[in-house]
């Protein structure tokens, strides 16, 4: 398995195989890999002649220094997990300096307002950081197709917008959320939950499933009130936001329209660990 720590080494390898690599599938990650990431790799392998995964905990997308410091860094076990999918996958695991070359700052982006909703409201600067790193990685890897999990649906829409605005020649694809047997969306942050918290966190997906049913007959506002009430009964959980929004614009649903696609979005703190999830409503 090829593992590159610098963009120079990676790019020179990709150039050397460019005659035979007809398409490059790319999976950007921050490591601490789980089945969800591996499913993205499998999808990429099915549709591309060469697959690259990046493992890089990107400092500019963390608005909370404690979250950055505590983010799991598990390169050795990540590599073992990648090998279980295929030893032909190329790993790019750069240092902060290799990516930011001494200037660890974000570029400022205009994502046509997508950045001002939900995660954008609660994590100032987060999407500038995501846009900066994803654009940088796309420029280095030059993928044909890039794969992102739908758990971070707002991120997926923002990356699509960035590609549309910068005209980078890459197709951005969203892949279904992978869940624990109890329904909890897989996330590297789940590692920080105790077993009890992990079990209790099943309420997040249960609530989203209930939302899907309720939204057939109730307004967005009524559904939101029910969700807020549900979480009042869970003392270890702090609901940061629940929002029903238009999938395309991410603007809150004020009055339902039959021509729009809606999605529920949720962010919950479980003892300082921030979990997000989402579900399509129609
Ligand atoms: O979703 C993630 O893991 C990160 O936000 C990404 C896309 C790898 C950028 O650092």
């Amino acid at each position: 398995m090829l593992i590159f720590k610098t963009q120079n080494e990676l790019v020179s390898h990709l150039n050397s195989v460019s005659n035979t690599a007809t398409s490059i599938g790319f999976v950007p990650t921050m490591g601490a890999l789980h089945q969800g990431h591996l499913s993205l790799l499998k999808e990429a392998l099915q549709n591309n002649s060469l697959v690259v995964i990046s493992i890089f905990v990107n400092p500019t997308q963390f608005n909370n220094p404690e979250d950055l410091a505590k983010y799991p860094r598990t390169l050795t076990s990540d590599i073992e997990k990648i090998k279980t999918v295929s030893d032909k996958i190329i790993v790019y695991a750069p240092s902060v300096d290799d990516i930011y070359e001494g200037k660890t700052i974000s570029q400022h982006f205009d994502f046509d307002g997508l950045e001002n909703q939900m995660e954008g409201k609660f994590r100032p600067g987060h999407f500038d950081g995501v846009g900066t790193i994803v654009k940088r990685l796309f420029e280095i890897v030059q993928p044909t197709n890039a794969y992102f999990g739908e758990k971070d649906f707002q991120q997926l829409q923002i990356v699509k917008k960035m590609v549309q605005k910068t005209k980078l020649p890459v197709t951005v694809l969203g892949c279904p959320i992978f869940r624990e047997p109890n329904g909890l969306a897989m996330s590297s942050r789940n590692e920080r939950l105790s077993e009890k918290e992990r079990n209790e966190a099943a309420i997040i997906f249960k609530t989203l499933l209930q939302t899907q049913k309720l939204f057939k007959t109730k307004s967005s506002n009524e559904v939101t009130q029910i969700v807020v009430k549900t979480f009042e009964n869970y003392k270890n959980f702090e609901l940061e936001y629940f929002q029903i929004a238009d999938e395309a614009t991410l603007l809150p649903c004020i009055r339902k329209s039959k021509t729009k696609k809606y999605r529920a979005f949720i962010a919950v703190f479980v003892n300082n660990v921030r979990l997000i999830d989402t579900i399509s409503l129609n």
Side-chain angles (χ1 to χ4, degrees):
M1 170 175 267
L2 292 170
I3 302 163
F4 298 104
K5 295 272 170 115
T6 69
Q7 51 179 289
N8 284 346
E9 289 166 317
L10 173 72
V11 169
S12 90
H13 174 74
L14 292 177
N15 286 341
S16 74
V17 294
S18 62
N19 283 348
T20 48
T22 47
S23 72
I24 300 181
F26 178 45
V27 179
T29 79
M30 298 207 296
L33 302 183
H34 50 69
Q35 288 301 322
H37 294 113
L38 302 187
S39 75
L40 300 181
L41 286 173
K42 287 174 193 160
E43 183 67 24
L45 277 170
Q46 268 184 15
N47 297 297
N48 300 276
S49 56
L50 194 145
V51 172
V52 178
I53 179 172
S54 63
I55 298 180
F56 178 65
V57 181
N58 173 37
T60 64
Q61 72 187 73
F62 286 82
N63 55 316
N64 176 348
E66 195 191 330
D67 200 19
L68 172 61
K70 286 198 174 154
Y71 204 86
R73 288 152 173 93
T74 53
L75 185 59
T76 312
S77 71
D78 287 344
I79 288 168
E80 290 310 312
K81 287 178 190 162
I82 297 167
K83 279 186 193 157
T84 65
V85 178
S86 161
D87 59 6
K88 301 227 159 32
I89 295 170
I90 296 172
V91 180
Y92 175 43
S95 64
V96 173
D97 245 20
D98 188 57
I99 292 287
Y100 285 102
E101 295 166 351
K103 282 190 224 127
T104 315
I105 47 168
S106 298
Q107 181 183 338
H108 179 63
F109 290 90
D110 171 3
F111 297 115
D112 291 346
L114 293 176
E115 71 277 30
N116 299 328
Q117 305 300 321
M118 300 173 291
E119 293 297 288
K121 273 193 200 144
F122 290 93
R123 303 181 69 189
H126 170 66
F127 286 123
D128 277 342
V130 170
T132 302
I133 185 62
V134 174
K135 180 166 170 274
R136 190 79 205 95
L137 290 168
F138 282 0
E139 285 162 352
I140 295 168
V141 178
Q142 299 191 17
T144 322
N145 300 303
Y147 298 83
F148 292 81
E150 282 185 350
K151 180 170 76 69
D152 298 286
F153 192 86
Q154 188 171 11
Q155 165 173 281
L156 172 65
Q157 298 297 64
I158 277 183
V159 172
K160 284 184 177 166
K161 181 68 75 180
M162 186 271 287
V163 164
Q164 180 198 328
K165 289 202 162 195
T166 56
K167 299 191 171 57
L168 287 170
V170 48
T171 303
V172 176
L173 298 149
C175 299
I177 300 175
F178 240 73
R179 298 185 179 279
E180 312 264 0
N182 72 358
L184 176 64
M186 288 203 182
S187 162
S188 309
R189 290 195 169 88
N190 295 355
E191 298 296 311
R192 289 166 56 197
L193 301 173
S194 68
E195 206 182 317
K196 184 167 172 271
E197 290 164 343
R198 227 170 157 131
N199 292 336
E200 284 178 352
I203 186 62
I204 300 171
F205 184 52
K206 259 195 200 146
T207 305
L208 289 182
L209 286 175
Q210 193 200 11
T211 301
Q212 216 176 29
K213 276 197 199 126
L214 293 170
F215 191 65
K216 292 191 201 312
T217 54
K218 294 190 186 301
S219 71
S220 163
N221 194 28
E222 286 167 328
V223 177
T224 306
Q225 295 313 315
I226 295 170
V227 172
V228 169
K229 278 238 146 6
T230 304
F231 278 91
E232 278 169 7
N233 296 325
Y234 285 80
K235 296 294 168 230
N236 296 336
F237 290 56
E238 188 193 325
L239 180 65
E240 186 173 54
Y241 67 75
F242 171 83
Q243 185 161 310
I244 295 179
D246 177 334
E247 270 198 12
T249 62
L250 301 183
L251 289 172
C253 164
I254 310 289
R255 201 171 308 133
K256 284 190 222 176
S257 153
K258 286 214 168 81
T259 58
K260 287 184 178 164
K261 287 206 79 190
Y262 294 105
R263 199 167 253 281
F265 296 85
I266 192 166
V268 181
F269 277 100
V270 184
N271 193 14
N272 277 337
V273 182
R274 191 171 182 278
L275 303 174
I276 62 170
D277 204 345
T278 176
I279 198 166
S280 162
L281 296 180
N282 60 343

